[in-house]
Amino acid sequence: MRESTPSIRPLIATGIAVVATGIVLATTWFRRDLEQQKAILNETLPVHSAWWRDNAKQPGELLCVAMGDSAAQGIGASSPNRSYVGVLADHVRLVTGQTVRVVNLSVSGATVALAVRDQLPRFEKLEPDLVTVAIGANDIAQWNPTTFEAGIRTIFAALPPHTLVADLPCFHLPHNEVKVAEANEIIRRVADEHELTVVPLHSTTKRAGFRSILTHVAKDLFHPNDRGYRSWAEAFLPAMSADAARVSAHQGAAVT
């Protein structure tokens, strides 16, 4: 007479419960860690802002001005000068052989409307040799194309013709990319009306692929890290090199 085989159903149920518990615990840990990383980066906001204010006091033969949001501030980078703004300034120093003063007007969390309110009045008091503008990523969360275009038109109308404006970076997630595509169409169209150069930030960051979330993004899973900011700078470099050459040639002609 055979011994009765125990039912495996309780074992399966137990296994499922263990796996489910593990998933819940892992998800809870991930969310807590992500919030902690966001909090850590939030603490760097005043540090980066103060660094750029102090840096703006340094004299330079060329004046570079940046408008933007936390990406221009370099949040997520190991230091403020490793933001794309810092990388570009170092590049200009190298290719021109001149000293560079950087005035970074960007504000963490800025939308296009806030840039119009807070950054544009300060910009209009300056006479920059080189200008970069990368703004609009924060508008995607509460997307309003009418408000966005109105703000972009106000900003672009105040920019000198040699300004380099970036389209929005790739967000990789389909529901955001639909909004980004609409925003970038607006940016390119209005920039074309004002004969401004659009640098291909979206295609550059998209080329890095979805895996770039692991390699190019800071631990808050939003801001770029050092590698990510180098990628941002690469989008600007061809146009920035041409612009720097133009400035150098103009200054050389003025001297002679």
Side-chain angles (χ1 to χ4, degrees), residues 74-222:
I75 304 303
S78 58
S79 62
N81 66 315
R82 289 183 178 269
S83 72
Y84 74 90
V85 174
V87 173
L88 292 175
D90 287 342
H91 177 73
V92 172
R93 293 183 183 100
L94 180 64
V95 299
T96 64
Q98 295 178 283
T99 57
V100 176
R101 177 188 174 212
V102 180
V103 175
N104 192 338
L105 301 176
S106 65
V107 178
S108 294
T111 59
V112 168
L114 290 177
V116 170
R117 188 193 73 182
D118 301 326
Q119 299 178 45
L120 200 55
R122 296 171 61 198
F123 177 83
E124 291 173 339
K125 298 176 183 179
L126 302 170
E127 296 182 2
D129 298 294
L130 301 162
V131 184
T132 62
V133 178
I135 190 73
N138 291 319
D139 290 85
I140 296 303
Q142 302 293 329
W143 177 238
N144 184 318
T146 302
T147 301
F148 183 85
E149 181 165 346
I152 286 293
R153 287 190 172 279
T154 301
I155 294 173
F156 285 12
L159 300 175
H162 58 269
T163 300
L164 306 181
V165 298
D167 56 10
L168 299 194
C170 180
F171 279 53
H172 298 291
L173 301 176
H175 67 284
N176 282 331
E177 280 292 277
V178 171
K179 303 172 188 175
V180 168
E182 189 174 7
N184 284 343
E185 187 279 327
I186 292 170
I187 289 172
R188 296 187 192 101
R189 174 162 43 83
V190 179
D192 185 63
E193 292 173 13
H194 292 278
E195 299 184 346
L196 303 175
T197 299
V198 178
V199 300
L201 182 57
H202 185 270
S203 62
T204 301
T205 50
K206 183 178 181 179
R207 193 160 52 244
F210 191 80
R211 69 181 184 279
S212 64
I213 295 176
L214 300 176
T215 59
H216 288 58
V217 179
K219 291 182 179 180
D220 67 345
L221 297 184
F222 182 74

Side-chain angles (χ1 to χ4, degrees), residues 42-97:
N42 280 339
E43 292 177 0
T44 69
L45 299 184
V47 176
H48 283 234
S49 181
W51 190 92
W52 286 113
R53 286 196 303 271
D54 291 341
N55 188 260
K57 299 174 185 176
Q58 301 299 317
E61 297 165 286
L62 299 177
L63 174 58
C64 293
V65 177
M67 295 178 64
D69 48 36
S70 56
Q73 285 281 302
I75 304 303
S78 58
S79 62
N81 66 315
R82 289 183 178 269
S83 72
Y84 74 90
V85 174
V87 173
L88 292 175
D90 287 342
H91 177 73
V92 172
R93 293 183 183 100
L94 180 64
V95 299
T96 64

